[in-house]
Amino acid sequence: MAGTSRGSTRSRASKSSTENPQIRNPNRILRKDKTRNNSLIRIFSVNLKFLIGFGIIAFAIALLFICTLINPMEKPQKPRVITPLPAPKLMDLPMFQGEHRESLYWGTYRPQVYFGVRARTPQSLVAGLMWLGVKNERYFMRHVCQDSDELKQYGWTSHNGRDYGHQVLSEQTMTLTTSFLKSKDHGSGYGGDWAVRIGVQSNESVPDEEMLKTAHLFFYVADEGGKSLTLGSRVLDIHGDSILASGSRSDIGDWQLHLFSEDVSGVHYSGFKTPHIHNLSDLVQANLAVQARQFGHLQLSDSSDDSPSILVFQISARIPFKADIVFLSGTSTRDSRVEERASRLTGTSLTSLFSEKQKEFDNKFKKSFILSDELGLEPVTVGKAALGNMLGGIGYFFGQSKISLPSISTPNAGDNSVLYWPAELYTAVPSRPFFPRGFLWDEGFHQLLIWRWDVYISLDIIGHWLDLMNIDGWIPRELILGAEALSKVPEEFVLQHPTNGNPPTLFLALRDLISKLKKEKFAATEARDISVFLDRAFVRLEAWFKWFNTTQAGKEMGSYYWHGRDTATIRELNPKTLSSGLDDYPRASHPSEDERHVDLRCWMHLAADSMHSIAELLKMDKDIKKEYSSTAKLLSDFKLLNKMHLDTANGAYCDYGNHTEKVQLTWKIVETGSNYPRREFIREVLEKPVLQLVPHLGYVSLFPFILRLIPPDSQILESQLDLISNKSILWTDFGLRSLSKTSSMYMKRNTEHDPPYWRGPIWIPLNYLIVSSLHHYSQEPGPYRERAKTVYNELRSNLIRNIVGNYKRTGYLWEQYDPKKGKGKGARLFTGWTATVLLIMAEAYHEV
């Protein structure tokens, strides 16, 4: 209305002045005055309405502003569980920068494949090897480590963790070797150059068949960031030009990949543009299949997608043959010396370098792990393989873990997870074919071996794990980072639960370092750097300790229990305790907050005592030292320990909880809501559970012994030695079984599909801890010293004999060993914590 009036007045005034601008009519002036007065009344009326409306809006805005001041609107915040701990990162320490970082930039950091190279950076340039194996007159592609390939043996026979390694891979019909070497030469780019020599030999007694006389290798290079790679200009005539591929990256500058071989007559290739490399073997097989169908040739297509991010080169030759593949960085610099550097990494020069590196490895091995001549040569071979596979299995991963959220923070159905922040992890792995990723509680055992070989690699790995800590002090128990790692994990195991912990075994290695520091066993530079590391790490270790001490605490002072057990399951004979690391080891039949887990109590003592030792070493405030000292003192209180966990009838330590022995799995018909009920293995409870000590004897029963909380003159020590040496309980001729033969759960399945895991089989890491404590008590004055020494010698001998014997027969270290016949079981090439057999051989035991 107001707009219309103003518009009309403006248009009339404009029209009058245009028609006769020079005439001034008094009557018109009078009419204009009258009109003006009427308009003022209308405008005032309109403005009043406008002002009232404007006032209401302004009042509302002011009211909103005042409310905001009183109750400020909270910005949406990411969940605490994915918020990093606000503390300086260990990886930012100067000791991990500069020369150290560059020296470890390239490496065999892809443990999930038979041979692979990458840099310690996200979106790295990567390389790897595939080949065709022959079985039943058919070809099968080998690339990713897996048992179904049925290799007779494979693994690193030596590896120094830095710049050299030698690996043997035995097929049924042929044996491949991969020898890896790094070189930092004048003119090279960041991280230097590297070379791999691939050798192929026929095995003995191979049938004289044509398809067994030629080997087909496939070496590839790929850019994880998707950058385009350039094919060598004369790749099909490799004798005229050795360059297979080239490219450029911001981290290493221009680079080239060369092939040198007198045995290879030709090379074929294929290029792919794809964001993923974990399915590369499928792409290569599909390419070969098309060529075989169309042309009858077992060779790549000699074609490429536009701007390929992956180049694969087929190297085929009559057996035996060898080929040197050389990677050169910084090739476009003024003084790059490409030909000279390439020449140094091929032929007789490379052979000499390999020989020098192998000699260095052998000498360092002899110095780091002193093995008695009484052991003989075979244990030395096994020991080197254990160490080589541990170091050769170190990997670098980058990505985001999938984390479970509490139900209260996920109101939308199905929205129960969130991604951890993007993170990198440099870590050893338990098993290349089965578990090629980081496991927190395994890593503490790995570091018992690695720090004795290379303390800086060990600190680097421990630092990466501690940098993964969130604001609450929690670290994921299993790290599945990146597409390659994720491709090996079943979906149900991907999700990590922030309420659940894992044994803080990193303190085993840290405790060793502290002890050696106090005894001045390190060189001055190493001692200084370890102290600097511990000083920076303290805030993270403190947060980790407090997370355990609050979230895993039990109802009674000094008691703890592992969270995460399923209280509602009807399909498990005994609900698993995955967070303990002992998975199906039997606990209280009915999980509850009343539980007390003796193993966790002992881990907490180790952690508290280690924190006190670090605080003392670094001369920290007395209140800090007192806090950890008092906690350690409480947890080492022998009377309190016995009151909570000792079964006086047999001198064994037990868990406590709501328990009944009368539980069984039975087949029942279960209604599914459809027309077809199904038969399932269901848990049946035949007796009401009561609060009591859980009467299962096994590894858990020995934890106070393992952590040396039992006084050397206590009669309970004698009882523990009885448990260990009793053949009806834990003793076998191959090592100590995980669960007593007298247990109602001994070798029992936990579900229809879960065979016994920690319910009888022999596990080497726990045997290592027990052997360590037997050695300790055999050195301590007391009435049971000689008994401990006798048991120690027998157990050590049994373990070494059985593991070495299995390796000789099968070519592998195993995840576990059968308690009846000592045969290797579970995952093979389990060169994670099973490698602690080398420490048993060398009598190199952890400090407590």
Side-chain angles (χ1 to χ4, degrees):
M1 185 89 174
T4 302
S5 297
R6 284 200 301 271
S8 300
T9 305
R10 188 181 301 117
S11 63
R12 285 197 298 270
S14 175
K15 185 177 179 180
S16 299
S17 61
T18 301
E19 287 177 350
N20 194 355
Q22 302 298 322
I23 297 174
R24 300 192 59 177
N25 189 326
N27 293 328
R28 180 172 174 83
I29 294 172
L30 179 61
R31 284 195 298 272
K32 279 181 71 177
D33 290 339
K34 290 179 181 178
T35 303
R36 185 182 296 118
N37 292 338
N38 292 336
S39 296
L40 283 171
I41 295 170
R42 286 197 300 271
I43 290 171
F44 179 78
S45 174
V46 170
N47 285 346
L48 182 61
K49 293 177 182 178
F50 174 78
L51 288 172
I52 292 171
F54 179 79
I56 292 171
I57 294 171
F59 178 76
I61 293 172
L63 187 62
L64 180 63
F65 178 72
I66 293 168
C67 290
T68 303
L69 289 176
I70 296 172
N71 297 304
M73 293 178 64
E74 292 186 7
K75 293 181 180 179
Q77 292 183 349
K78 59 184 177 183
R80 284 182 63 86
V81 70
I82 59 169
T83 303
L85 184 75
K89 282 193 163 189
L90 286 155
M91 286 302 98
D92 292 337
L93 283 170
M95 74 177 76
F96 299 127
Q97 305 302 315
E99 184 179 343
H100 170 86
R101 183 169 181 79
E102 185 174 6
S103 69
L104 291 174
Y105 195 62
W106 289 106
T108 54
Y109 301 141
R110 300 178 64 211
Q112 65 273 29
V113 298
Y114 288 115
F115 178 81
V117 180
R118 66 165 296 134
R120 277 179 48 172
T121 186
Q123 306 298 303
S124 169
L125 193 70
V126 302
L129 173 68
M130 297 182 278
W131 72 90
L132 290 178
V134 179
K135 182 181 178 183
N136 299 327
E137 299 184 350
R138 293 180 61 192
Y139 287 113
F140 294 88
M141 184 65 76
R142 315 299 198 206
H143 181 209
V144 177
C145 299
Q146 50 191 11
D147 261 12
S148 58
D149 288 342
E150 296 183 349
L151 267 65
K152 290 166 62 178
Q153 180 181 14
Y154 67 95
W156 297 96
T157 57
S158 53
H159 201 299
N160 65 10
R162 288 186 174 270
D163 58 11
Y164 167 72
H166 179 75
Q167 184 179 212
V168 177
L169 308 110
S170 294
E171 283 273 8
Q172 302 300 320
T173 60
M174 65 181 180
T175 296
L176 287 79
T177 57
T178 60
S179 299
F180 173 75
L181 185 134
K182 279 164 51 179
S183 171
K184 179 59 179 172
D185 209 348
H186 178 68
S188 62
Y190 187 80
D193 309 324
W194 54 262
V196 56
R197 172 169 291 173
I198 305 168
V200 185
Q201 294 280 344
S202 289
N203 292 341
E204 296 179 4
S205 67
V206 172
D208 187 22
E209 298 176 11
E210 187 61 31
M211 71 183 304
L212 302 179
K213 294 180 179 179
T214 301
H216 302 281
L217 311 181
F218 302 85
F219 197 89
Y220 62 88
V221 61
D223 192 300
E224 288 183 322
K227 292 194 68 174
S228 176
L229 309 180
T230 302
L231 188 70
S233 58
R234 298 178 63 183
V235 71
L236 295 178
D237 180 21
I238 205 66
H239 292 295
D241 188 342
S242 68
I243 299 179
L244 293 174
S246 60
S248 182
R249 287 178 57 90
S250 59
D251 54 347
I252 59 173
D254 290 351
W255 59 267
Q256 295 175 356
L257 187 72
H258 295 250
L259 169 66
F260 297 91
S261 177
E262 297 179 357
D263 304 319
V264 176
S265 57
V267 173
H268 296 281
Y269 73 90
S270 187
F272 303 97
K273 179 70 173 179
T274 174
H276 305 296
I277 63 170
H278 64 273
N279 61 344
L280 178 58
S281 52
D282 295 334
L283 297 176
V284 172
Q285 288 181 90
N287 188 289
L288 289 171
V290 170
Q291 291 296 107
R293 283 196 302 269
Q294 293 184 355
F295 306 107
H297 299 307
L298 188 65
Q299 63 186 47
L300 292 176
S301 60
D302 295 326
S303 63
S304 175
D305 296 341
D306 293 336
S307 303
S309 57
I310 303 175
L311 289 173
V312 184
F313 302 95
Q314 181 178 352
I315 305 167
S316 300
R318 303 285 284 186
I319 303 172
F321 75 90
K322 66 181 179 182
D324 295 340
I325 295 174
V326 181
F327 176 85
L328 302 175
S329 60
T331 54
S332 65
T333 59
R334 181 178 299 178
D335 193 20
S336 60
R337 301 164 52 249
V338 170
E339 290 186 10
E340 183 181 340
R341 284 158 51 200
S343 176
R344 185 171 179 270
L345 293 176
T346 58
T348 56
S349 176
L350 182 60
T351 302
S352 296
L353 290 172
F354 283 142
S355 180
E356 291 174 16
K357 288 295 181 181
Q358 183 63 48
K359 189 177 296 184
E360 288 176 9
F361 174 84
D362 291 339
N363 290 336
K364 186 174 181 179
F365 179 87
K366 189 179 294 185
K367 181 180 178 181
S368 302
F369 305 98
I370 302 171
L371 305 186
S372 169
D373 292 338
E374 296 176 0
L375 289 174
L377 294 178
E378 287 181 351
V380 175
T381 300
V382 174
K384 288 181 178 179
L387 176 67
N389 279 297
M390 173 76 79
L391 296 168
I394 291 175
Y396 174 89
F397 308 93
F398 182 85
Q400 293 176 270
S401 292
K402 193 174 182 181
I403 310 298
S404 170
L405 283 173
S407 57
I408 56 172
S409 61
T410 53
N412 299 324
D415 182 22
N416 67 335
S417 68
V418 67
L419 293 178
Y420 223 45
W421 63 86
E424 60 180 354
L425 180 64
Y426 172 64
T427 185
V429 302
S431 171
R432 289 169 62 192
F434 281 90
F435 307 109
R437 54 191 179 275
F439 285 79
L440 180 56
W441 104 281
D442 295 60
E443 201 55 41
F445 290 98
H446 299 164
Q447 295 316 308
L448 290 173
L449 203 71
I450 293 175
W451 81 256
R452 288 175 166 87
W453 176 260
D454 190 320
V455 71
Y456 287 101
I457 290 179
S458 183
L459 293 176
D460 200 338
I461 290 173
I462 294 172
H464 270 87
W465 276 99
L466 293 179
D467 278 349
L468 288 165
M469 187 175 293
N470 74 4
I471 194 171
D472 294 321
W474 175 76
I475 304 174
R477 60 183 290 268
E478 182 178 350
L479 268 295
I480 308 161
L481 304 178
E484 274 195 292
L486 195 60
S487 67
K488 298 280 287 184
V489 184
E491 179 62 30
E492 63 266 28
F493 298 115
V494 171
L495 201 63
Q496 300 298 299
H497 300 275
T499 55
N500 301 350
N502 226 198
T505 54
L506 293 180
F507 280 111
L508 289 172
L510 292 173
R511 185 59 187 246
D512 273 5
L513 294 176
I514 297 162
S515 176
K516 299 302 180 188
L517 274 178
K518 289 179 178 178
K519 295 176 182 178
E520 300 182 348
K521 297 293 185 179
F522 290 107
T525 301
E526 289 177 335
R528 181 200 65 213
D529 287 342
I530 294 169
S531 295
V532 169
F533 177 90
L534 292 172
D535 187 48
R536 172 70 68 89
F538 192 84
V539 65
R540 292 180 178 274
L541 294 172
E542 187 168 47
W544 198 24
F545 179 86
K546 288 181 177 178
W547 181 87
F548 273 103
N549 207 34
T550 53
T551 67
Q552 310 294 296
K555 284 186 173 181
E556 294 191 33
M557 177 71 72
S559 69
Y560 299 87
Y561 71 101
W562 296 107
H563 285 48
R565 300 187 71 203
D566 189 346
T567 59
T569 180
I570 59 170
R571 290 177 175 81
E572 291 183 81
L573 181 61
N574 187 274
K576 290 191 292 292
T577 316
L578 294 174
S579 53
S580 73
L582 304 179
D583 296 13
D584 68 343
Y585 186 96
R587 310 280 182 163
S589 62
H590 290 67
S592 70
E593 294 181 357
D594 293 303
E595 283 190 270
R596 302 197 293 260
H597 293 146
V598 65
D599 54 332
L600 180 51
R601 188 183 195 278
C602 293
W603 286 123
M604 291 304 295
H605 173 265
L606 172 69
D609 200 43
S610 298
M611 292 298 289
H612 176 249
S613 295
I614 297 172
E616 276 194 326
L617 181 75
L618 300 177
K619 296 180 172 57
M620 290 186 164
D621 187 86
K622 64 179 181 180
D623 289 340
I624 296 175
K625 290 187 281 188
K626 184 178 179 181
E627 177 185 354
Y628 289 107
S629 176
S630 60
T631 303
K633 186 177 180 180
L634 171 69
L635 296 178
S636 63
D637 186 315
F638 194 50
K639 290 183 179 179
L640 181 61
L641 171 66
N642 293 342
K643 179 182 176 182
M644 285 187 172
H645 292 287
L646 181 66
D647 180 355
T648 55
N650 53 31
Y653 290 95
C654 302
D655 289 337
Y656 177 88
N658 204 25
H659 181 75
T660 176
E661 282 288 281
K662 295 188 177 180
V663 179
Q664 64 185 23
L665 290 174
T666 57
W667 289 105
K668 290 188 176 182
I669 302 299
V670 177
E671 298 293 335
T672 61
S674 63
N675 295 328
Y676 303 97
R678 63 171 178 262
R679 191 166 172 259
E680 291 189 7
F681 219 24
I682 300 298
R683 180 166 104 145
E684 187 176 16
V685 180
L686 306 175
E687 177 185 78
K688 184 179 179 181
V690 296
L691 291 173
Q692 60 175 302
L693 290 174
V694 181
H696 296 292
L697 306 183
Y699 289 161
V700 164
S701 309
L702 300 176
F703 260 82
F705 173 84
I706 288 170
L707 272 297
R708 304 168 197 176
L709 298 175
I710 303 173
D713 59 352
S714 171
Q715 192 172 351
I716 295 172
L717 178 57
E718 182 181 30
S719 298
Q720 293 274 292
L721 294 173
D722 288 341
L723 290 174
I724 290 170
S725 57
N726 190 327
K727 291 186 177 182
S728 297
I729 300 179
L730 300 180
W731 187 270
T732 78
D733 292 336
F734 319 107
L736 299 184
R737 56 172 66 91
S738 47
L739 187 64
S740 170
K741 287 176 67 177
T742 61
S743 170
S744 60
M745 297 284 181
Y746 180 69
M747 297 304 289
K748 291 282 185 70
R749 304 183 71 87
N750 198 47
T751 70
E752 177 186 355
H753 305 291
D754 291 341
Y757 200 48
W758 290 85
R759 295 185 179 178
I762 297 162
W763 291 80
I764 304 310
L766 271 296
N767 271 269
Y768 166 75
L769 294 179
I770 293 164
V771 166
S772 298
S773 291
L774 283 169
H775 183 266
H776 165 78
Y777 284 113
S778 74
Q779 307 294 314
E780 289 288 304
Y784 312 109
R785 180 175 181 172
E786 290 304 314
R787 174 87 187 282
K789 186 175 182 179
T790 299
V791 177
Y792 163 74
N793 287 329
E794 290 184 24
L795 180 56
R796 175 175 176 265
S797 177
N798 288 347
L799 288 164
I800 294 172
R801 184 182 63 254
N802 188 58
I803 294 170
V804 171
N806 268 275
Y807 185 86
K808 186 179 179 181
R809 289 191 299 273
T810 68
Y812 294 101
L813 296 179
W814 293 80
E815 181 181 15
Q816 53 183 230
Y817 294 86
D818 178 68
K820 290 184 178 179
K821 297 184 178 180
K823 183 180 178 181
K825 296 179 60 179
R828 61 180 186 171
L829 195 67
F830 203 92
T831 45
W833 58 27
T834 299
T836 54
V837 66
L838 173 56
L839 301 178
I840 296 173
M841 292 176 184
E843 298 185 278
Y845 301 121
H846 71 283
E847 302 282 346
V848 173

